[in-house]
Amino acid sequence: MASLPRVTIRVGVIGTGNMGADHANTLHRYVRGATVTVVMDAQAQRAATVAEAIPGARVARSEAALIDADDVDAVIITSPDPSHAGLTMSAVRAGKPVMCEKPLAQSVDECLRVVKTEDGFVGAGSNRLVSVGFMRRFDPGYTQMKASIEARENGAPLLLHCTSRGVSAGAGTTSEMSIKGSAVHEFDIVPWLLGDPIADVSWYTPRPPGHPDGLADPQVMLLRTAGGTLATVETFMGAGYGYDINCELVSERGALALAYRPAVLGNAGGQRFTTHPLDWRARFADAYRLELQAWVDALISGSPPPLATARDGMQATAVAEAAVAAMNGGGGPVVVKPVG
Ligand SMILES: NC(=O)c1ccc[n+]([C@@H]2O[C@H](COP(=O)([O-])OP(=O)(O)OC[C@H]3O[C@@H](n4cnc5c(N)ncnc54)[C@H](O)[C@@H]3O)[C@@H](O)[C@H]2O)c1
């Protein structure tokens, strides 16, 4: 039997902090058909540390040098949020597929510039170049929940309860950053699960902001979809006890929730216990791996990547802007502006 042609996608990673180092490691160790060839970080030592762990990988001296490199076929952007839009547009102009971590950009206007840049570059019938790292779309729990909704296993969906808790908010985190950088995951996953866009958002916090910089934490948002389903969203960055993501779907004839899947079950001191991961890397390891594998498979086969698109990223940011407007306007419902 003739052997199939072997294609390897050579990936460059911009920003090798927590997420970038994790994606580089996942690509290197667990994803078929990809190799990490070039890495770059504003702190060169961080890039060097990642490159040393991956045979054949080298460090680029700048973002542009990585994007334009002959040994880079596709780009991953894991630098801080404000850099996403500019770097994504640079990759598009270089004609290279790009997987940008969420959020795509800081505002709908900035997202629109990315969308227009992509529209202008990609011809009719060609695949999109931009994918956005909303990895929950690949988490086995969320995908099973979506399949159940689509099959109407328990009738029509009525409610979603989404909670997202972290150990502590990073220094300098503001209420707006919590919405645009963290709650934005829910603004993508809720309409994706329901197949129903978010129509309006209201915002609450249980007590006056207690942090010195005025961070409201936790924040609770109520999302209403165009079809009338309601979603409660709790974003609690400083919950203290661990990284803990939950989602419960309540439908006409039953309820379905993400199962907690601890790696071990402890028994000691008269107690049975499990532990929480400290951040997203362990909790969503399967999702990141499946997301990157799907991206690489699509690039190899020439099919559209099944990840969130630039327009999906813009839609999530439109919901985030409505949530910020609700927060700044006293909490009452704010209609999500339609985006092009
Ligand atoms: N999808 C998810 O679940 C998820 C989880 C965490 C973080 N993220 C996103 O990933 C991105 C990185 O987050 P992180 O937690 O790894 O942050 P981090 O601070 O650990 O890493 C960011 C890295 O980027 C470098 N950097 C800064 N500006 C740069 C530039 N212009 N070019 C190249 N490198 C630059 C920094 O030196 C740092 O090493 C953020 O956009 C964040 O929102 C996504």
Side-chain angles (χ1 to χ4, degrees):
M1 193 172 80
S3 61
L4 291 169
R6 194 172 147 273
V7 180
T8 300
I9 303 295
R10 299 167 300 174
V11 180
V13 180
I14 300 179
T16 49
N18 292 324
M19 196 72 257
D22 195 65
H23 279 334
N25 179 56
T26 301
L27 277 168
H28 173 57
R29 296 180 61 183
Y30 304 118
V31 173
R32 293 180 312 275
T35 180
V36 178
T37 48
V38 187
V39 293
M40 183 268 155
D41 194 285
Q43 297 187 44
Q45 187 51 49
R46 288 191 178 173
T49 302
V50 171
E52 277 161 21
I54 301 176
R58 65 181 179 86
V59 175
R61 67 181 185 288
S62 69
E63 295 90 331
L66 181 146
I67 289 169
D68 294 334
D70 288 340
D71 54 349
V72 168
D73 303 313
V75 178
I76 289 181
I77 296 170
T78 36
S79 46
D81 300 358
S83 63
H84 289 185
L87 291 172
T88 300
M89 287 188 283
S90 296
V92 169
R93 289 190 194 104
K96 297 193 177 177
V98 50
M99 203 285 278
C100 178
E101 260 309 332
K102 62 80 209 163
L104 176 61
Q106 299 285 85
S107 66
V108 170
D109 286 349
E110 206 177 20
C111 288
L112 195 55
R113 284 201 287 280
V114 178
V115 165
K116 285 186 171 166
T117 301
E118 187 187 39
D119 285 350
F121 194 88
V122 176
S126 306
N127 288 336
R128 318 296 303 172
L129 289 172
V130 179
S131 299
V132 183
F134 283 121
M135 79 299 178
R136 292 187 188 183
R137 293 177 176 219
F138 293 86
D139 177 79
Y142 283 108
T143 54
Q144 198 172 324
M145 195 175 270
K146 182 174 173 64
S148 172
I149 293 172
E150 286 177 352
R152 291 292 188 265
E153 283 176 347
N154 294 317
L158 303 172
L159 296 165
L160 279 172
H161 297 296
C162 312
T163 63
S164 174
R165 298 181 190 147
V167 176
S168 61
T173 303
T174 65
S175 305
E176 182 168 334
M177 286 160 71
S178 170
I179 292 170
K180 289 187 169 178
S182 180
V184 73
H185 275 297
E186 315 292 357
F187 303 154
D188 178 70
I189 206 70
V190 167
W192 179 81
L193 282 169
L194 297 170
D196 189 10
I198 296 166
D200 62 52
V201 186
S202 30
W203 181 97
Y204 310 88
T205 192
R207 55 185 161 71
H211 289 253
D213 58 3
L215 171 67
D217 195 50
Q219 303 183 19
V220 176
M221 285 154 270
L222 180 63
L223 316 181
R224 199 176 56 84
T225 71
T229 303
L230 294 178
T232 59
V233 169
E234 172 199 318
T235 302
F236 193 178
M237 305 196 83
Y241 67 84
Y243 183 77
D244 189 17
I245 305 294
N246 295 289
C247 180
E248 184 188 22
L249 163 72
V250 183
S251 301
E252 289 170 310
R253 293 189 299 276
L256 201 63
L258 297 182
Y260 182 55
R261 296 178 301 154
V264 292
L265 189 62
N267 290 290
Q271 292 188 330
R272 170 164 287 197
F273 58 90
T274 60
T275 54
H276 285 286
L278 293 180
D279 71 24
W280 51 90
R281 286 170 290 190
R283 167 62 181 83
F284 285 111
D286 285 346
Y288 295 127
R289 177 178 49 78
L290 294 167
E291 171 188 60
L292 290 170
Q293 187 66 68
W295 185 57
V296 167
D297 285 348
L299 299 185
I300 290 175
S301 67
S303 48
L307 285 71
T309 63
R311 280 188 165 72
D312 294 331
M314 180 162 67
Q315 193 63 53
T317 295
V319 180
E321 285 196 346
V324 170
M327 175 180 74
N328 292 336
V334 170
V335 171
V336 178
K337 286 189 196 136
V339 291

